[in-house]
Amino acid sequence: MIDSDLARQVLLGLTALVFAALALRTWWVPDTVARELGYGVSDANGYSELHAIYVGLWLMHAALGLWAALHVDQAVLGDILALLLLGQPLGRLIAAPRFGLPRGPLLAFFALEVIGGLALLAVRPGD
């Protein structure tokens, strides 16, 4: 474990920026993002679901990251973000026996999600 308010704030801020960037990109070019993720989106329900998860939920991940960075003394905020982040590779692992591991950029995301989530849990506030 590393005890450092600054390191925790940096990790939280970077996590927030990544989620904000991904959400805004999806909002801007949803068809491109859907295609990159292997989705075929063709109707209102598909776009609604894409925006619910890849825009709305990810913007709230970004907001939680920013809030946690501004209130670093409340460790539970960053811990919740870490658990949400680790939920993504968990879902990928659940799918792996039936469908295989993700490929291409999603395999890199898998690694970054694990590393980022564990880093947030390892770096504790309180220098």
Side-chain angles (χ1 to χ4, degrees):
M1 295 285 193
I2 299 168
D3 293 327
S4 171
D5 283 358
L6 180 60
R8 176 106 164 166
Q9 285 176 310
V10 168
L11 284 173
L12 290 164
L14 287 173
T15 302
L17 283 173
V18 167
F19 276 107
L22 291 170
L24 293 174
R25 181 172 182 263
T26 303
W27 191 0
W28 188 256
V29 288
D31 294 312
T32 301
V33 171
R35 194 170 39 258
E36 291 169 354
L37 295 172
Y39 294 136
V41 181
S42 62
D43 62 12
N45 281 350
Y47 285 104
S48 176
E49 190 65 15
L50 183 74
H51 283 74
I53 302 302
Y54 295 97
V55 177
L57 186 60
W58 283 3
L59 283 174
M60 292 304 101
H61 278 61
L64 179 57
L66 180 60
W67 188 261
L70 294 173
H71 300 278
V72 72
D73 58 309
Q74 298 177 30
V76 69
L77 296 172
D79 293 348
I80 291 169
L81 181 60
L83 292 175
L84 288 170
L85 188 55
L86 289 169
Q88 293 176 110
L90 174 63
R92 297 181 200 286
L93 287 174
I94 290 169
R98 271 182 83 186
F99 308 105
L101 286 172
R103 296 179 303 276
L106 289 182
L107 186 57
F109 286 167
F110 174 81
L112 290 172
E113 292 157 359
V114 171
I115 292 166
L118 292 177
L120 282 174
L121 292 175
V123 177
R124 309 307 302 165
D127 335 266

